[in-house]
């Protein structure tokens, strides 16, 4: 077992963290894994297949944003250091106060980053977001202009910058688009819940802005494979093909599928699955919405939340899990999330197994909700 790396996953019960733990467990990639989260497994809506990978002796409850938690998080009985640390932690809810992100995202990243450097961790992988890029007509590459457009992205970018300055930290930064897949509870989940309500109301699902608005995606299956691939590339393969003079000192990788997903992509798939009309609001309403986003979002939420709870009640679902059609206005910006992922493929040699969003992959998401009895 000696040659397999030991792995510490911070935020290991979050959506990406649990799938990463599951991937490592299923493929027997590590000599030891520790999952750290401030939430207990019993309260994390864990589907049954994650039990073995995420709970029991592998799990440590701790809040990584607090300095006094660090010994509990990092200390091992044999006194050795963890080889790979994946930071999947941080605040993932939208529209929180700045202070929440400062403490739970930025503070958390720096806390564990400094500790990882102090303890000589071989590779520290920081998860960030593609929302840090300044939108452009071309998909953004890793070295392109930055202009974060969500609060999460503002503090993720600060974390990237501060971590880059930590002496002796073996850092890799991974920037993600919208991540979807079985049990997903954000973005694609919201759209699916909305579609379910529109189907029940027998009305058309209309989207703001245009069908060409880019909302790039990556399937969770490929995201966790990519996270493992970059850690292995950094440590075992000695950063092969990395050219510091042209690419910079800190390796940064976009993980994004080949589908160039847009609002239109998802609208078409949803229309087909639910048998509902989907369309776009057009210039006039979109312009009005831009100026009055708060009230437009409030109206949509008022319109959908009642019927959604009726649907749950009719289906006898008393514990609906994390699903809701509630629309976050931060996610409703008329801003392109458009990324170029070619560096990961060229430098690391990574290949996508779910290269684009399909009807089948979205049906698989809905099936996962049914399995958990979350879906009316």
């Amino acid at each position: 077992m000696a040659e397999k790396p030991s792995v510490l996953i911070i935020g290991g019960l979050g959506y990406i963290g649990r799938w990463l733990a599951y991937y490592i467990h299923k493929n027997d990639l590590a000599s030891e894994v520790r999952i750290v989260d401030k939430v207990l497994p019993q309260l994390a809506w864990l589907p049954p297949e994650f039990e073995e990978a995420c709970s029991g002796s592998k799990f440590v409850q701790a809040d990584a944003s607090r300095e006094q938690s660090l010994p509990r998080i990092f200390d091992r009985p044999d006194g050795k250091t963890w080889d790979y640390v994946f930071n999947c932690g941080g605040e993932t809810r939208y529209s929180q106060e700045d202070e929440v992100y400062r403490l739970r995202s930025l503070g958390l990243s720096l806390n564990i980053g400094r500790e990882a450097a102090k303890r000589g961790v071989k590779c520290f992988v920081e998860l960030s977001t593609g929302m840090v890029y300044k939108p452009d007509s071309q998909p953004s590459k890793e070295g392109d202009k930055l202009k974060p457009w969500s609060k999460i992205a503002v503090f993720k970018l600060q974390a990237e910058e501060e971590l880059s300055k930590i002496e002796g930290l073996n850092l890799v930064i991974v920037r993600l688009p919208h991540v979807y897949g079985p049990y997903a509870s954000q973005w694609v989940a919201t759209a699916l819940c909305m579609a379910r309500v529109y189907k029940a109301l027998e009305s058309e699902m209309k989207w703001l802005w245009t069908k060409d608005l880019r909302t790039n995606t990556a399937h969770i299956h490929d995201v966790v494979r990519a996270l493992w691939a970059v850690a292995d590339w950094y440590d075992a393969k000695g950063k092969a093909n990395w050219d510091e003079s042209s690419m910079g000192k800190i390796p940064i990788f976009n993980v994004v599928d080949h589908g160039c997903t847009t609002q239109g992509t998802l609208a078409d798939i949803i229309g087909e699955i639910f048998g509902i009309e989907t369309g776009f609001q057009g210039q006039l309403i979109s312009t009005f919405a831009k100026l009055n986003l708060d009230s437009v979002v409030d109206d949509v939420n008022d319109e959908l939340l009642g019927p959604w709870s009726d649907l749950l009640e009719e289906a006898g679902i008393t514990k609906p899990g994390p699903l809701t059609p509630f629309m976050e206005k931060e996610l409703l910006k008329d801003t392109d999330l458009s990324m170029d992922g070619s560096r990961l493929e060229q430098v690391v040699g990574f290949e996508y197994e779910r290269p684009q969003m399909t009807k089948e992959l979205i049906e698989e998401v809905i099936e996962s909700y049914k399995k958990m009895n979350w879906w009316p």
Side-chain angles (χ1 to χ4, degrees), residues 116-177:
K118 205 160 74 184
R119 294 181 181 240
V121 166
K122 288 178 186 168
C123 182
F124 181 91
V125 182
E126 171 76 0
L127 271 61
S128 188
T129 169
M131 293 180 191
V132 297
Y133 292 114
K134 182 176 195 288
D136 191 24
S137 56
Q138 292 302 310
S140 300
K141 293 186 169 178
E142 289 82 353
D144 286 351
K145 284 205 174 83
L146 301 171
K147 189 188 177 190
W149 50 274
S150 72
K151 277 191 184 183
I152 287 177
V154 167
F155 289 93
K156 271 295 175 193
L157 184 57
Q158 283 181 30
E160 286 187 25
E161 289 164 350
E162 293 301 317
L163 286 169
S164 303
K165 297 176 193 162
I166 296 175
E167 202 61 46
L169 180 62
N170 295 313
L171 174 66
V172 181
I173 293 164
V174 171
R175 292 178 181 152
L176 299 170

Side-chain angles (χ1 to χ4, degrees), residues 40-101:
L40 285 167
Q42 299 85 316
L43 303 173
W45 290 311
L46 266 192
E49 65 260 45
F50 294 92
E51 298 266 319
E52 214 180 322
C54 295
S55 47
S57 59
K58 291 190 172 124
F59 178 76
V60 171
Q61 187 187 21
D63 181 350
S65 65
R66 301 165 72 100
E67 218 156 292
Q68 56 268 42
S69 305
L70 291 173
R72 279 192 54 218
I73 291 170
F74 279 86
D75 287 353
R76 297 173 68 189
D78 60 8
K80 288 184 182 163
T81 283
W82 296 98
D83 295 318
Y84 300 169
V85 176
F86 293 92
N87 179 21
C88 305
E91 184 55 72
T92 54
R93 293 173 305 168
Y94 289 91
S95 316
Q96 306 295 306
E97 296 294 322
D98 284 5
E99 211 31 63
V100 171
Y101 298 113

Side-chain angles (χ1 to χ4, degrees), residues 168-231:
L169 180 62
N170 295 313
L171 174 66
V172 181
I173 293 164
V174 171
R175 292 178 181 152
L176 299 170
H178 291 301
V179 178
Y180 75 101
Y183 313 113
S185 62
Q186 284 193 324
W187 190 71
V188 83
T190 308
L192 292 173
C193 293
M194 291 172 82
R196 178 68 187 88
V197 174
Y198 284 117
K199 184 177 172 62
L201 298 174
E202 295 178 1
S203 58
E204 181 182 3
M205 179 167 176
K206 279 213 160 180
W207 306 56
L208 276 177
W209 328 127
T210 66
K211 70 177 194 310
D212 303 319
L213 184 71
R214 290 169 291 177
T215 52
N216 282 188
T217 49
H219 192 279
I220 187 65
H221 171 80
D222 284 328
V223 170
V224 297
R225 287 178 55 246
L227 292 174
W228 186 261
V230 297

